Amino acid sequence: MFFLRQVFTAAAAAAFFSPVLAGESAERQFEALARLPAAEFAAMQGQAVEFDIDLAAGSGLSVEVAGERATVRYRMAFNQVAEGWSWRPQADPAVDDYYRYKFLPLQSVAVERGSYEHEDKIGVPQQMKVNWRYDYFLAFENLYDFYPRRVDDDAGFTADLPAGVAGHLGMRARARLSEPVISESTTFWKATHGQPTDFTLKKRYLVGVLEEVSFVDRESGSVLCTIRPGRDGCAAR
């Protein structure tokens, strides 16, 4: 029975990951990968995946409207993966980055996990909440396939688009999974009398080689224009 269950899990995961998962959330894709047996997990390297970029995360996106056109910019200068597996302390900052991997934010999921009574301040018992948050990212090391490395806070992906789409603009990234495929870090903040919440933050990374970034119309679902290696911008008429 165990063998059959493992076979079913692997087959279901293979079906789940083929073809490209344009309609699936980062959460579902990460969890499906994490459940795979070792052999099937290793076979996921090279698998094509697609993600909607979370434009509400951070302040990377700017839109400037002038007449009938909109200049859209998504800045990448500070999107560094600050994890140990990305850190290169011997890097020469004149020619390379200390952090090997860059990221695009994909999704945040908040989970309330109840509460418990605790006396952090003597004589004052409190109900302490337990909250978790899962932040999902696409991590990739080939940002400079898209534009030359330069010291410029505005460096990133740009598009020249019709002004009419500015209010319902989306972005989508396509990549191919690569070693280590997924990674996760955990940070915990203990509840105190002044901040009565145990908070656990899990950062979850899907790791791959970035192939393209598209600007999309969220109302129609249509792709407006696509940026591929060798170009940091695109345009739509």
Side-chain angles (χ1 to χ4, degrees):
M1 180 63 72
F2 176 78
F3 175 76
L4 289 176
R5 187 183 305 117
Q6 290 289 85
V7 170
F8 175 77
T9 301
F16 184 81
F17 276 94
S18 182
V20 173
L21 300 178
E24 297 295 343
S25 68
E27 178 186 23
R28 285 200 65 195
Q29 295 189 51
F30 186 98
E31 291 178 350
L33 284 164
R35 289 194 300 267
L36 286 176
E40 284 77 12
F41 180 82
M44 288 298 103
Q45 292 193 49
Q47 172 66 47
V49 288
E50 273 189 14
F51 306 100
D52 288 329
I53 298 170
D54 183 1
L55 298 181
S59 56
L61 182 73
S62 67
V63 181
E64 298 179 6
V65 176
E68 297 183 353
R69 305 299 297 174
T71 299
V72 181
R73 186 181 305 276
Y74 189 89
R75 295 170 177 83
M76 289 293 298
F78 302 104
N79 285 22
Q80 313 276 8
V81 176
E83 306 283 356
W85 47 271
S86 179
W87 173 242
R88 296 186 292 191
Q90 304 305 317
D92 179 354
V95 297
D96 214 341
D97 297 343
Y98 283 118
Y99 290 108
R100 172 182 175 186
Y101 285 89
K102 321 305 173 191
F103 72 81
L104 289 166
L106 305 177
Q107 185 181 11
S108 287
V109 179
V111 180
E112 295 183 359
R113 297 199 168 194
S115 63
Y116 63 95
E117 187 175 281
H118 178 67
E119 190 175 302
D120 184 64
K121 183 177 181 181
I122 297 175
V124 185
Q126 288 176 283
Q127 285 296 120
M128 304 297 196
K129 295 180 180 179
V130 180
N131 291 342
W132 287 43
R133 194 179 82 211
Y134 299 84
D135 288 347
Y136 294 86
F137 305 90
L138 171 62
F140 56 96
E141 59 177 315
N142 66 316
L143 177 63
Y144 303 128
D145 287 351
F146 290 82
Y147 58 83
R149 182 179 183 271
R150 56 185 182 267
V151 181
D152 181 0
D153 288 355
D154 284 338
F157 303 106
T158 60
D160 174 23
L161 303 175
V165 302
H168 41 90
L169 182 66
M171 290 180 66
R172 189 172 298 147
R174 179 186 174 100
R176 289 195 178 272
L177 296 175
S178 61
E179 178 70 26
V181 179
I182 58 174
S183 184
E184 180 180 77
S185 67
T186 304
T187 307
F188 173 70
W189 290 266
K190 179 64 179 172
T192 65
H193 177 73
Q195 297 288 337
T197 301
D198 277 354
F199 182 70
T200 297
L201 172 63
K202 284 189 173 289
K203 291 186 176 182
R204 289 180 160 182
Y205 300 89
L206 295 111
V207 183
V209 177
L210 186 65
E211 292 193 325
E212 62 184 40
V213 172
S214 296
F215 291 85
V216 300
D217 184 337
R218 289 188 289 107
E219 286 191 348
S220 67
S222 62
V223 174
L224 298 168
C225 67
T226 298
I227 301 171
R228 297 184 177 87
R231 300 174 56 205
D232 60 353
C234 63
R237 297 297 168 191

